[in-house]
Amino acid sequence: VSTWRIHVFGVRHLSPTGAWHLCRFLDRVQPKAVLIEGLADADELIPHFTRKGTKPPIAILAYTDAMPVRTLVYPLAGYSPEYRALKWAHENEVQVEFIDLPSDIFLGLQDLEVERLERRAKDDETDGEDDGKEAEPESAADSGEPAESWRPEPGRSIYERIARRSDEPDYDTYWERRFEHNLADDSYRLASFELGRALRDESDPPLRRAENLVREAYMRRRIEEVIAGGVKSEEIVAIVGAFHAPVLTGEFPAMTDEELASLPRRSSKLTLMPYSYFKLSTQSGYGAGNHAPAYFELLWETLQAGDLHELPLRYLSNVVRFLRDKGTHRSTAEVIEGVRLARTLSALHEGLAPTLRDLRDAAVTLIGHGELSTISEALSHADVGTAIGELPKGVSRTSIQSDFERELERLKLEKYRSTVKQELTLDLRENRRVKSEEAAFLDLHRSSFLHRLRVLDIGFAKPAPTGQQTTTWAEKWFLQWSPESEISLVEAVLLGETLELAAGFKFKTRLEGCTNIAEAADLVQDACQCGLMQSMDHARQRLQELAAGSTELKAIAHAAFQLSQTARYGDVRKFDPAPLLPLMEELFVQGALALHGAAGCDNPTAQALLVSMDEMNRVSLEHHDRVEEKLWLDRLKRLADADDRNPLLSGYACGLLLERGLIPNEDLVREVSRRLSPGIPADLGAGWFEGLAKRNRYSLLARQPLWAALADYIRSLDDDQFKRALVFLRRAFGCFSPQEKRHICENLGEFWGVGREETSEALEQPLTEKEEQTLKDLNTFDFDNL
Amino acid sequence: MTQMAKKKPDDEISTAVSSNGTAQDILRAPAEVLYAEEIEHLCKEDKHHRPPGWKMSPRAVLSYICGGKVGAREITPKYIGYQRLVEIAISTLVTDRALLLIGEPGTAKSWLSEHLAAAINGDSTKVVQGTAGTTEEHIRYTWNYALLIAHGPSREALIRSPIFRAMESGSLARFEEITRCAAEVQDALISLLSEKRISVPELMTEVPAAKGFSIIATANTRDRGVNDMSAALKRRFNMIVLPTPATLETEVGIVRKRVRELATHLELRAAVPADDAIEQVVTIFRELRSGQTLDGKNKIKVPSGVLSTAEAISVLAGGMALAGNFGTGQVTANDLAAGMQGAVVKDEEKDKIVWQEYLANVLKKRGAEWRPLYTACAEHNT
């Protein structure tokens, strides 16, 4: 069999025109065996692809069944050439096989690669911290891409180089312009064969190239097996990436048994899983069609219907229709002009038809009136769409399920997996009585795990409502297993292959939709509870973005306060709060600057702002070495001196400064008599005093000059003014304890020439009828709509 | 009429510039004169199809504007950075649609419009310069009243607008600052653009536009509120938003070049600011304009002013004037800070806080090289 030559059809994965040409090619050649580039051990899954109830997009998922989890995803859309080949083989009842390396070898190689990256990351850390972080596998994992280089069509460098040489901005446009609109018979197959050759002539990172060579040798081995099985070589069609097409002939050596045995392996499992267009579009480096699955599906549909030339019209109509549904009207004339512009743009590059890029640019110019932001939502709807795949019941056995089971075992939670509701109390502190670190922090790990389930809406674990949240180290949960939990667990695989990845992805989407500061601050805390430091960092970034655009003191102060609290968790939850602190500092500056503007408000608002001022003040006290305390004090001083702000807040600012001993006695007395001078409306004066009296009562009580000033003030009021002031003074002292009130009365009594004993005697006396009447009269006093 | 074509000998007002104008006494010659050689070369080398009324093919126009090697000659790039936008602009004109270039001050709208007209027609001078005082006559036509009274309406008495003439000759007319005109005046363009003909009822006639006619209009993003364009008119334009320079390096390059030119032009007796100073000023402008730090890690509030490249240039030139006249001749951080304050703080109460926040949260943490500028700015902002 040394000089065998089979039909090879080189494609780009997820290329609709490739699928269209492939179907015609298969019809013409009528092969006896169809061989597809795909995990060899996924053969057993083949019947599921064509079963009733299977609806693409779906994906083959391979994963290791032990830690550390490595995964491999092969997504297929309805227009994937591979999917169409499977369908064709099923309908024509011919042999069909996957011929790429089996998953255990793929994952074994991936293991090596990740270890190599980890080593490099460690080396890098010494010279450049940022670069090191980029290369860490954790960061790769967060983007849903454990190791991009292990995709069937790895890397983009050589592809980009080819595109650049043809004067195209990127490989996608290069490919679409040259391949996707070309319907001439056999041109696709021959052109992709030539492209494969050109790509092989490019220099590639040696590791990547070596991996490809290994895979190709294995594919040849599999082809030879099929030929040995009795199929004539001219009756075989192999569907592989364009890159591999030129070397699948007998002229190159096939992999030997020894070579095969020498490859590293990781024990693995395989399953099919439902996939989504959205997920597909977030994958990078995986062949054509992935960045705009809905557009390529449209392309596939028009190909099937034989009206490919209508694609631009239908695409732009989709955009306009979406906009109209959302209430933005655009005329049909603009669609027509858009198509014309797209065609001209494509002609400028000698294309047969507009590419997606031409269409998008035309849409921005015509439909968006020059602004991408107007139509970006409509564009992403037309490009990506919302399709989700389906599989018959019971087919899917996903990595996230086994990850869940593994976690239960690791955290000794298996006994809670029952339909009976059970309570679990956690103590997050280090358990010093045990030896291993794993055991010492068992409860902390459990907490992270349960919080992840909570974030993913998997109903297994629910936090028990607790009355108080004073301790940072105790948590209570209710655990109960149900079939619904199983379903939501399987659904979560769409977010990521393990619980950690899925929770990370969920955070990512929540953050993208997050529009207010409070929510972002919550997310920071959530992520911290889930033990997802990277998500926490993203949440922090989002919080920063949102806060930067806001001048709302209430939200900013609360966020700053919450960050300082989260940073306190750092101890218990074993994470480094350092990344949170710069943001807290920034928020603090913003809050300080926003104070004066916010303080010009009415009384109900002022009550809420008291809390904000208190929060700011607590942050400044707790982190006085980090935050701009001086700025805060300057701003407080300015507010305390201001006459045009809410008097309650001015008084409160004064109180905060007083508490820190920043207002000397004589200044305080001057300020009190200024605020409480007879010309000033009583409500302003008393409001100010109320604010002042909200803090540091003891220190106020001890300052005799203050009471002297107050006594003078009250003496200076005439009857009506006095009654009016009485209301506010009463409110100001309302929150004082009886003990304190008595103290005040005694103080004032001294100044009015009434002795201490006499005062207290007067206070002890029950109210006389006359006094009661006076008080009653006060209730009907007309306060001028106060 | 605001500005007449210089190549029309029968136009009354045109004499001063065209007949005896030489390169020396003209402050700035139009693009087709400045780059006459390049245009000629491109026309000669051009082998692609030329749309009706065009002097060169769309590809050649692209080469003229974005530069590159054509034949043996290197063409200087006129517009750097966004080739794709130029492609869209040219394609728009091929499809006989009118083109509207929108952008903030200093994004080369008029520059691009002039060069497009120069390359496509070899004539960039059919211009309507829009102002609040522009009337419909400036867009359509008006009369030579002496002739009108003496002989009644006649072709001789008709004074045609640049747009009218562009329609007759099948070429491009330019409309600068279209949103500065009153909305009702702008609307005179609607039927011109959709029917591609202009009627002259006084002469009981209608003049159809020759193939190749189109309009390139420019408008300021920040002026949109001044006179918004009607939806009907918007539909007749393909709109392209010209962004501010894409990278710090490009913008620093532009600023450095312009500051040098200004220094010689205005005879500012001070040394041109050091590259570091220029980069710092441009960095601050870019960050405040885009609402985030250059590394993209922090968002910041955006002040109410435009903070265009042009203003960055004037801050630096102003700093030089201060240093030259009242200082040592070396531009210090203090000289720059005064200008920065004026450029950033347009709305006293709000912008002041934005600026202070930026100074405390961003500049202060930038390290030693930024310290002098930070200190000077912080002092000016109290």
Side-chain angles (χ1 to χ4, degrees):
Chain A
V1 289
S2 64
T3 54
W4 53 269
R5 189 165 275 278
I6 59 169
H7 296 287
V8 179
F9 197 104
V11 295
R12 199 174 180 210
H13 308 297
L14 299 158
S15 153
T17 308
W20 185 80
H21 279 292
L22 176 63
C23 289
R24 289 162 64 100
F25 182 75
L26 291 172
D27 280 341
R28 207 174 68 226
V29 176
Q30 290 293 331
K32 291 276 188 301
V34 174
L35 309 182
I36 298 169
E37 175 190 326
L39 301 173
D41 49 344
D43 271 349
E44 61 194 88
L45 297 175
I46 286 176
H48 294 310
F49 282 96
T50 46
R51 261 173 71 175
K52 218 174 124 201
T54 299
K55 192 181 122 206
I58 49 178
I60 304 173
L61 169 71
Y63 56 97
T64 54
D65 49 11
M67 296 295 275
V69 178
R70 310 258 184 255
T71 60
L72 196 61
V73 182
Y74 262 87
L76 291 169
Y79 53 80
S80 289
E82 293 89 342
Y83 179 73
R84 286 292 139 189
L86 286 165
K87 273 214 124 42
W88 188 92
H90 177 69
E91 280 155 18
N92 291 273
E93 294 174 351
V94 304
Q95 180 186 354
V96 55
E97 272 176 46
F98 287 128
I99 56 167
D100 205 349
L101 291 173
S103 59
D104 51 353
I105 295 181
F106 253 123
L107 295 166
L109 290 172
Q110 187 180 325
D111 236 17
L112 286 184
E113 173 75 1
V114 172
E115 274 163 26
R116 194 179 64 84
L117 286 174
E118 267 168 0
R119 264 202 310 281
R120 205 179 63 190
K122 274 200 195 108
D123 293 346
D124 282 358
E125 237 157 49
T126 44
D127 21 272
E129 254 185 89
D130 282 350
D131 297 350
K133 272 180 198 139
E134 285 303 313
E136 262 176 51
E138 271 74 24
S139 67
D142 188 69
S143 62
E145 284 275 330
E148 194 177 300
S149 54
W150 293 91
R151 299 288 164 198
E153 222 174 72
R156 57 171 67 110
S157 55
I158 56 172
Y159 300 96
E160 292 303 317
R161 257 178 276 157
I162 293 253
R164 222 28 71 70
R165 223 171 290 149
S166 311
D167 204 18
E168 292 284 2
D170 50 59
Y171 187 67
D172 284 329
T173 308
Y174 166 86
W175 177 275
E176 193 191 342
R177 182 139 30 232
R178 278 161 187 76
F179 287 86
E180 295 298 330
H181 298 282
N182 187 347
L183 300 187
D185 256 342
D186 236 11
S187 63
Y188 186 100
R189 191 172 68 92
L190 298 175
S192 75
F193 199 79
E194 285 310 313
L195 175 67
R197 271 208 190 131
L199 286 170
R200 299 188 81 83
D201 286 342
E202 294 290 319
S203 60
D204 217 1
L207 255 171
R208 192 160 290 166
R209 183 55 61 93
E211 187 229 355
N212 274 324
L213 294 178
V214 169
R215 290 172 55 198
E216 285 152 2
Y218 184 79
M219 286 193 235
R220 286 193 291 270
R221 178 189 166 96
R222 293 274 296 158
I223 293 168
E224 289 186 2
E225 279 170 17
V226 173
I227 295 174
V231 186
K232 285 191 209 123
S233 60
E234 61 271 23
E235 288 173 342
I236 298 176
V237 170
I239 295 114
V240 293
F243 185 88
H244 310 297
V247 295
L248 295 187
T249 73
E251 289 154 32
F252 298 90
M255 187 179 282
T256 62
D257 292 343
E258 297 85 66
E259 283 166 344
L260 184 59
S262 69
L263 290 171
R265 287 175 190 257
R266 283 282 309 266
S267 150
S268 70
K269 286 206 169 105
L270 273 171
T271 183
L272 285 181
M273 63 179 262
Y275 219 62
S276 70
Y277 274 179
F278 176 68
K279 184 83 180 158
L280 198 56
S281 72
T282 58
Q283 301 277 12
S284 58
Y286 188 82
N290 62 326
H291 58 293
Y295 169 75
F296 283 96
E297 186 184 306
L298 190 66
L299 175 61
W300 168 249
E301 280 168 16
T302 51
L303 274 170
Q304 294 288 87
D307 48 14
L308 181 59
H309 57 280
E310 275 191 10
L311 177 66
L313 251 176
R314 291 188 42 190
Y315 174 81
L316 290 177
S317 307
N318 279 350
V319 173
V320 168
R321 226 175 301 152
F322 183 88
L323 277 177
R324 283 188 198 141
D325 285 348
K326 298 271 167 198
T328 309
H329 183 77
R330 290 289 188 264
S331 68
T332 312
E334 279 160 315
V335 174
I336 297 170
E337 290 300 341
V339 174
R340 286 181 66 202
L341 178 61
R343 293 216 162 107
T344 320
L345 279 172
S346 135
L348 215 52
H349 286 277
E350 288 168 340
L352 293 165
T355 60
L356 179 60
R357 182 162 178 266
D358 298 327
L359 289 171
R360 285 178 62 103
D361 284 342
V364 171
T365 312
L366 267 303
I367 300 167
H369 290 174
E371 302 274 8
L372 174 63
S373 55
T374 324
I375 56 166
S376 58
E377 201 191 341
L379 281 184
S380 87
H381 180 81
D383 288 350
V384 178
T386 52
I388 295 179
E390 283 168 21
L391 282 171
K393 227 178 171 171
V395 169
S396 207
R397 189 75 202 151
T398 59
S399 55
I400 202 163
Q401 285 161 292
S402 58
D403 186 47
F404 178 77
E405 275 150 29
R406 205 166 32 234
E407 289 284 291
L408 283 187
E409 190 184 353
R410 178 173 78 96
L411 302 170
K412 306 190 170 55
L413 289 170
E414 284 144 315
K415 70 172 170 119
Y416 293 94
R417 191 176 178 166
S418 80
T419 48
V420 182
K421 192 175 189 173
Q422 295 175 75
E423 194 186 299
L424 174 66
T425 308
L426 302 177
D427 180 345
L428 307 188
R429 292 169 298 184
E430 184 178 355
N431 184 350
R432 289 173 199 276
R433 282 165 309 193
V434 292
K435 278 188 193 122
S436 78
E437 196 181 325
E438 177 74 26
F441 292 108
L442 180 67
D443 273 6
L444 177 59
H445 295 310
R446 281 173 164 180
S447 162
S448 300
F449 170 68
L450 296 177
H451 276 294
R452 283 174 197 178
L453 294 181
R454 173 179 63 80
V455 166
L456 289 169
D457 290 327
I458 294 169
F460 174 55
K462 289 203 173 70
T466 49
Q468 50 172 4
Q469 288 209 315
T470 42
T471 52
T472 51
W473 48 264
E475 274 183 358
K476 207 160 118 191
W477 292 85
F478 288 125
L479 304 182
Q480 184 178 26
W481 186 248
S482 66
E484 286 75 29
S485 306
E486 180 90 48
I487 292 171
S488 38
L489 188 59
V490 174
E491 278 170 359
V493 79
L494 268 178
L495 304 175
E497 288 88 26
T498 63
L499 284 171
E500 181 175 354
L501 290 177
F505 191 81
K506 178 95 179 212
F507 270 110
K508 204 167 145 235
T509 41
R510 267 173 75 185
L511 281 171
E512 276 157 15
C514 168
T515 50
N516 68 61
I517 298 180
E519 200 183 333
D522 285 348
L523 283 172
V524 171
Q525 202 181 357
D526 257 7
C528 152
Q529 287 173 336
C530 290
L532 294 168
M533 289 308 117
Q534 195 133 39
S535 299
M536 187 179 82
D537 204 47
H538 290 158
R540 178 192 60 78
Q541 228 157 356
R542 183 80 191 129
L543 176 60
Q544 198 275 333
E545 281 170 31
L546 289 167
S550 165
T551 48
E552 201 199 333
L553 174 62
K554 205 172 148 218
I556 294 171
H558 185 65
F561 181 66
Q562 203 160 346
L563 280 187
S564 83
Q565 294 302 303
T566 309
R568 273 178 47 199
Y569 284 136
D571 261 2
V572 178
R573 291 203 168 259
K574 293 288 153 228
F575 77 93
D576 177 17
L580 293 178
L581 297 174
L583 176 57
M584 186 189 70
E585 290 166 34
E586 258 174 53
L587 287 169
F588 187 79
V589 169
Q590 282 182 23
L593 291 174
L595 175 66
H596 201 73
C601 61
D602 57 8
N603 285 328
T605 319
Q607 291 293 342
L609 289 185
L610 285 179
V611 180
S612 307
M613 285 175 69
D614 188 40
E615 284 173 337
M616 287 287 292
N617 200 48
R618 281 171 70 181
V619 174
S620 85
L621 286 170
E622 268 173 47
H623 299 272
H624 61 93
D625 49 337
R626 300 199 63 103
V627 298
E628 297 248 0
E629 197 177 22
K630 186 172 167 300
L631 177 71
W632 171 239
L633 296 176
D634 281 353
R635 290 276 149 170
L636 279 180
K637 185 91 181 64
R638 188 171 161 206
L639 178 57
D641 291 345
D643 288 335
D644 56 349
R645 302 286 120 175
N646 189 299
L648 180 71
L649 297 178
S650 287
Y652 195 66
C654 194
L656 288 174
L657 291 169
L658 196 64
E659 196 174 61
R660 294 176 182 234
L662 291 173
I663 300 187
N665 249 345
E666 55 271 33
D667 285 10
L668 178 68
V669 172
R670 196 178 58 221
E671 189 64 11
V672 170
S673 56
R674 189 175 75 84
R675 291 279 180 181
L676 300 181
S677 46
I680 307 275
D683 50 334
L684 292 190
W688 180 84
F689 196 84
E690 186 188 343
L692 176 70
K694 285 226 180 265
R695 311 255 347 162
N696 33 263
R697 305 223 179 96
Y698 289 113
S699 114
L700 278 183
L701 289 175
R703 293 192 188 219
Q704 289 306 323
L706 175 90
W707 303 109
L710 186 63
D712 280 350
Y713 170 64
I714 293 173
R715 207 169 4 212
S716 72
L717 296 172
D718 66 29
D719 254 13
D720 257 9
Q721 283 169 334
F722 174 71
K723 282 180 186 165
R724 187 184 291 244
L726 206 53
V727 177
F728 292 98
L729 289 171
R730 189 169 168 224
R731 200 170 71 200
F733 295 115
C735 48
F736 282 62
S737 70
Q739 185 74 38
E740 290 163 341
K741 281 181 193 160
R742 167 181 297 224
H743 200 125
I744 292 167
C745 290
E746 286 169 4
N747 269 338
L748 289 174
E750 297 260 321
F751 292 111
W752 289 325
V754 192
R756 192 171 288 250
E757 275 77 49
E758 289 169 63
T759 316
S760 93
E761 231 168 77
L763 287 172
E764 299 289 328
Q765 297 285 328
L767 288 175
T768 64
E769 236 168 73
K770 194 172 163 229
E771 282 165 335
E772 277 202 58
Q773 187 55 43
T774 321
L775 283 177
K776 236 183 216 161
D777 287 350
L778 265 183
N779 286 339
T780 55
F781 180 74
D782 175 16
F783 285 106
D784 290 344
N785 310 322
L786 280 171
Chain B
M1 217 153 303
T2 29
Q3 185 181 336
M4 279 310 194
K6 67 183 193 54
K7 285 178 187 166
K8 281 280 205 174
D10 53 324
D11 268 333
E12 313 88 287
I13 329 170
S14 63
T15 47
V17 185
S18 67
S19 47
N20 47 11
T22 57
Q24 283 89 345
D25 34 273
I26 296 176
L27 198 55
R28 187 178 154 271
E32 62 271 22
V33 176
L34 281 173
Y35 296 97
E37 276 180 53
E38 286 190 1
I39 293 177
E40 198 182 317
H41 176 77
L42 280 164
C43 290
K44 210 167 67 205
E45 294 283 330
D46 195 6
K47 289 178 192 69
H48 295 283
H49 168 75
R50 296 170 196 196
W54 288 41
K55 286 190 81 172
M56 54 175 96
S57 72
R59 264 159 210 268
V61 177
L62 185 64
S63 312
Y64 170 76
I65 290 176
C66 296
K69 207 166 170 71
V70 175
R73 204 189 151 102
E74 191 68 38
I75 302 294
T76 52
K78 322 284 179 308
Y79 181 76
I80 309 163
Y82 301 97
Q83 173 160 348
R84 182 66 175 173
L85 291 181
V86 179
E87 283 179 20
I88 297 173
I90 296 171
S91 300
T92 294
L93 296 170
V94 175
T95 57
D96 78 20
R97 293 269 294 175
L99 175 66
L100 176 61
L101 301 173
I102 308 170
E104 297 192 340
T107 44
K109 300 178 293 289
S110 308
W111 177 256
L112 183 57
S113 122
E114 178 181 347
H115 281 283
L116 279 171
I120 293 172
N121 295 141
D123 174 14
S124 63
T125 57
K126 293 196 201 70
V127 188
V128 177
Q129 291 172 326
T131 66
T134 305
T135 63
E136 214 176 309
E137 283 89 55
H138 293 127
I139 294 173
R140 296 166 69 86
Y141 56 85
T142 180
W143 300 95
N144 176 335
Y145 286 99
L147 278 177
L148 185 68
I149 291 164
H151 305 294
S154 67
R155 285 202 161 266
E156 289 68 45
L158 192 70
I159 300 175
R160 291 154 301 166
S161 74
I163 295 177
F164 196 129
R165 284 184 282 118
M167 289 178 85
E168 280 184 323
S169 59
S171 55
L172 293 175
R174 294 166 52 212
F175 200 138
E176 290 288 297
E177 300 286 358
I178 190 167
T179 44
R180 295 226 168 263
C181 306
E184 46 275 30
V185 177
Q186 296 173 20
D187 281 359
L189 284 173
I190 292 181
S191 58
L192 276 183
L193 286 176
S194 52
E195 283 154 39
K196 309 273 195 261
R197 46 182 61 235
I198 186 167
S199 74
V200 189
E202 295 90 336
L203 298 178
M204 287 190 288
T205 179
E206 216 179 30
V207 182
K211 277 189 178 175
F213 163 71
S214 191
I215 291 180
I216 308 175
T218 58
N220 216 312
T221 330
R222 300 279 171 151
D223 293 347
R224 266 186 185 172
V226 178
N227 281 309
D228 218 348
M229 284 172 77
S230 67
L233 188 56
K234 272 187 190 164
R235 272 207 302 280
R236 282 157 180 85
F237 279 102
N238 280 9
M239 294 185 217
I240 296 179
V241 177
L242 294 180
T244 40
T247 63
L248 178 69
E249 289 71 34
T250 334
E251 192 165 355
V252 167
I254 295 171
V255 171
R256 191 188 302 128
K257 185 161 162 274
R258 286 291 298 151
V259 169
R260 291 237 167 89
E261 286 169 11
L262 274 177
T264 22
H265 244 73
L266 306 176
E267 293 169 28
L268 303 172
R269 281 160 305 163
V272 174
D275 279 3
D276 285 355
I278 297 180
E279 199 177 310
Q280 286 179 356
V281 170
V282 174
T283 303
I284 295 173
F285 269 63
R286 286 183 75 84
E287 293 190 329
L288 286 172
R289 193 193 295 147
S290 63
Q292 58 175 11
T293 51
L294 285 188
D295 57 14
K297 284 192 182 147
N298 283 312
K299 254 186 114 138
I300 44 193
K301 288 199 184 70
V302 181
S304 57
V306 180
L307 293 170
S308 66
T309 314
E311 276 172 288
I313 293 165
S314 77
V315 164
L316 286 156
M320 284 173 71
L322 270 177
N325 293 313
F326 305 105
T328 58
Q330 296 294 326
V331 180
T332 63
N334 217 4
D335 298 325
L336 293 177
M340 300 284 285
Q341 178 77 16
V344 178
V345 180
K346 294 276 196 286
D347 170 316
E348 189 53 28
E349 194 51 40
K350 246 174 73 195
D351 289 344
K352 220 169 166 173
I353 289 185
V354 172
W355 184 219
Q356 193 172 354
E357 218 173 276
Y358 176 78
L359 289 172
N361 276 345
V362 181
L363 276 205
K364 194 179 176 187
K365 300 181 179 162
R366 281 253 161 91
E369 313 92 86
W370 290 78
R371 215 10 89 137
L373 191 58
Y374 162 75
T375 320
C377 287
E379 265 168 32
H380 270 92
N381 198 37
T382 45

